[in-house]
């Protein structure tokens, strides 16, 4: 009996979650359309809409034109009823995003701020967050919380940042970050967060790999809409797979890792440390830069092809370099296709949608998801 009651409650919860997700995904929708879309009864939809309206998440906004009979009421989401902030902490910068319940990016900023575990650093971050929220003209009370993206291995269960090369930290309690923040926090690895952001709005639970090419190389394995984290939370560390046996030294201490060939630093160091300048020179036709870029794309193609052969799924390439790949999709696909054992094309490769904001956005989406699932 208890089990039955529990499962009825579960079903009601899932129905309510699906209802709010469907309403959040459109501008306006009628109750009839909702019932059809969700394949649930009319009274179930009515009950869910009533509950969601009482929570201020859904509102009536007039009615649809009638084709005979009564006009159908139009429902719309109240997307800005609650918001979440995403914070991306890197070695030299912080990124901040503000996101609404639909996961739309309302505002983004990135500031130079060198990381340190000192009190002063966190005080600056906390005041930047409050100023950022205030500048968007939303009351602080609407903020559900803060999603924090960290460049390292995040063990949420043990509540520690196990390792971060970029921040030079080992086994650091997440409380060190949390205690200074003005909102409740959830934490996530940066590449996993960026992968989540890239998957937003994708139809169905397709499996996808995300490869992040920033100052270090990382990635995420997303299957059925969920992260695959591995036995030690290290899944997706593509940067430390071997590209060239006994090749260039990697910061991890080994030789020939993907990171030593494909990180954004490798390109930036050919243009006074500036990735933007590297691509400016490439556009201007600098022959040395062009040669370096082709060599880079060939290395990258080995990595991406290996990933596709191993996982048989879409590969989204993001991070700092990924944000410039959009201009070179055809060229890169042709290099990839030449390596492909099974297909003539490389349509599985997708350039990323987001640039520097991906990790902060993905972190904020965690707070939105937690809220929706708590309904
Ligand atoms: Zn390495």
């Amino acid at each position: 009996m208890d089990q039955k009651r529990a499962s009825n409650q579960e079903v009601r919860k899932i129905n309510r979650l699906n209802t709010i997700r469907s309403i959040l995904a459109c501008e306006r929708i009628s109750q009839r359309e909702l019932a059809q879309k969700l394949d649930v009864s009319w009274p179930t939809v009515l009950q869910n809409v009533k509950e969601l309206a009482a929570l201020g998440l859904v509102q009536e906004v007039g009615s649809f034109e009638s084709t005979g009979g009564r006009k159908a009421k139009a429902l719309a989401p109240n997307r800005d009823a609650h918001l979440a902030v995403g914070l991306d902490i890197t070695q030299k910068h912080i990124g901040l995003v503000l996101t609404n319940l639909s996961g739309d990016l309302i505002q983004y900023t990135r500031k130079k701020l060198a990381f340190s575990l000192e009190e002063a650093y966190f005080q600056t971050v906390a005041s930047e967050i409050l100023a950022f929220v205030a500048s968007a003209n939303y009351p602080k009370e609407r903020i559900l919380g803060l999603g924090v993206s960290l460049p390292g291995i995040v063990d949420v269960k043990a509540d520690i940042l196990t390792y971060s090369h970029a921040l030079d930290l080992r086994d650091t309690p997440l409380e060190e970050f949390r205690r200074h923040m003005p909102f409740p926090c959830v934490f996530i690895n940066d590449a996993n967060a960026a992968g989540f952001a890239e998957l937003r709005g994708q139809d169905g639970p397709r499996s996808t790999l995300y490869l992040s090419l920033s100052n270090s190389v990382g990635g995420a394995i997303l299957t059925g809409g969920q992260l695959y984290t591995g036995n030690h939370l290290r899944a997706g560390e593509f940067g430390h797979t071997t590209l060239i046996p006994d090749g260039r030294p990697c910061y991890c201490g080994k030789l020939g890792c993907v990171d030593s060939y494909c990180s954004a630093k490798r390109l930036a160091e050919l243009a006074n440390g500036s990735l933007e300048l590297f691509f400016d020179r490439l556009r201007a036709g600098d022959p040395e830069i062009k040669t370096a870029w082709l060599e880079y794309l060939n290395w990258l193609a080995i990595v991406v092809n290996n990933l596709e052969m191993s996982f048989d799924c879409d590969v989204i390439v993001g991070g700092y370099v990924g944000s410039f790949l959009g201009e070179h999709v055809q060229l890169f696909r042709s290099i990839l296709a030449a390596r492909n054992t099974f297909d003539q094309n490389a349509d599985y490769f997708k350039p990323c949608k987001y640039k520097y904001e991906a990790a902060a956005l993905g972190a904020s989406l965690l707070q939105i998801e937690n809220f929706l699932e708590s309904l």
Side-chain angles (χ1 to χ4, degrees):
M1 188 70 180
D2 274 356
Q3 238 178 8
K4 197 172 174 190
R5 199 178 299 137
S7 84
N8 281 344
Q9 268 181 358
E10 253 326 87
V11 170
R12 271 207 294 277
K13 198 171 155 66
I14 292 168
N15 275 335
R16 197 163 50 231
L17 182 60
N18 288 339
T19 307
I20 186 66
R21 281 195 203 285
S22 295
I23 297 173
L24 283 168
C26 51
E27 289 303 316
R28 296 190 335 153
I29 192 164
S30 72
Q31 290 180 350
R32 184 181 301 279
E33 281 175 301
L34 262 179
Q36 278 169 356
K37 201 170 163 184
L38 299 169
D39 196 19
V40 292
S41 70
W42 182 269
T44 302
V45 168
L46 279 180
Q47 182 59 30
N48 283 337
V49 167
K50 205 172 137 191
E51 287 171 12
L52 293 168
L55 292 168
L57 303 176
V58 175
Q59 58 201 346
E60 274 183 29
V61 285
S63 51
F64 286 103
E65 279 308 307
S66 170
T67 50
R70 271 172 55 190
K71 285 185 177 182
K73 285 177 192 161
L75 302 168
N78 187 3
R79 299 179 207 286
D80 296 345
H82 299 284
L83 305 140
V85 179
L87 164 68
D88 179 29
I89 293 182
T90 71
Q91 194 177 38
K92 292 181 181 159
H93 294 86
I94 58 165
L96 287 169
V97 302
L98 188 65
T99 314
N100 66 15
L101 288 177
S102 292
D104 302 323
L105 200 161
I106 296 174
Q107 187 167 293
Y108 168 67
T109 187
R110 186 166 182 260
K111 299 206 162 175
K112 220 172 183 150
L113 184 64
F115 176 80
S116 104
L117 216 46
E118 304 285 318
E119 191 97 10
Y121 170 82
F122 288 105
Q123 277 167 2
T124 307
V125 173
S127 55
E128 287 289 348
I129 291 169
L130 290 173
F132 177 71
V133 171
S135 72
N137 286 322
Y138 287 104
K140 220 173 89 179
E141 294 66 37
R142 285 206 205 168
I143 305 296
L144 293 168
L146 184 65
V148 185
S149 150
L150 295 171
I153 297 163
V154 178
D155 188 338
V156 172
K157 253 193 203 152
D159 205 37
I160 53 171
L161 174 63
T162 310
Y163 172 66
S164 170
H165 171 79
L167 305 183
D168 193 21
L169 297 177
R170 249 180 216 282
D171 295 328
T172 307
L174 293 174
E175 186 58 25
E176 292 287 322
F177 295 80
R178 189 185 290 118
R179 67 194 174 99
H180 301 277
M181 294 299 128
F183 301 110
C185 298
V186 289
F187 296 87
I188 184 170
N189 162 271
D190 55 355
N192 290 348
F196 261 138
E198 291 292 339
L199 277 194
R200 192 180 78 86
Q202 181 176 278
D203 278 343
R206 283 169 69 86
S207 293
T208 304
L209 289 189
Y210 176 74
L211 177 67
S212 172
L213 306 171
S214 292
N215 285 337
S216 63
V217 175
I221 303 165
L222 297 131
T223 167
Q226 301 289 319
L227 266 180
Y228 171 76
T229 53
N231 291 339
H232 308 91
L233 305 171
R234 300 194 294 244
E237 286 290 342
F238 307 127
H240 303 293
T241 54
T242 302
L243 183 59
I244 310 285
D246 301 322
R248 292 179 186 168
C250 177
Y251 71 82
C252 75
K254 306 295 175 196
L255 296 174
C257 291
V258 165
D259 199 288
S260 356
Y261 295 84
C262 295
S263 82
K265 277 185 184 165
R266 293 289 158 257
L267 298 177
E269 67 196 10
L270 302 172
N272 305 335
S274 163
L275 194 64
E276 281 75 15
L277 185 58
F278 177 91
F279 283 100
D280 284 347
R281 286 187 184 164
L282 182 64
R283 282 185 212 106
D286 182 320
E288 271 180 47
I289 292 288
K290 199 176 167 196
T291 305
W293 177 235
L294 287 175
E295 188 182 44
Y296 179 93
L297 286 182
N298 277 300
W299 283 327
L300 184 61
I302 295 172
V303 180
V304 172
N305 181 65
N306 286 349
L307 293 179
E308 205 272 335
M309 287 297 133
S310 307
F311 292 89
D312 181 25
C313 65
D314 286 352
V315 180
I316 299 173
V317 180
Y320 302 166
V321 179
S323 65
F324 290 96
L325 264 180
E327 301 165 43
H328 305 273
V329 172
Q330 293 316 319
L331 171 64
F332 189 50
R333 281 203 176 127
S334 70
I335 300 171
L336 282 172
R339 290 201 165 271
N340 199 302
T341 305
F342 302 110
D343 292 316
Q344 303 289 316
N345 65 60
D347 294 347
Y348 69 85
F349 155 69
K350 318 270 184 211
C352 58
K353 285 185 284 193
Y354 299 104
K355 298 193 172 180
Y356 289 106
E357 67 276 29
L361 175 61
S364 73
L365 294 179
L366 277 188
Q367 286 285 9
I368 299 289
E369 275 304 300
N370 288 349
F371 171 73
L372 294 178
E373 288 189 12
S374 74
L375 288 174

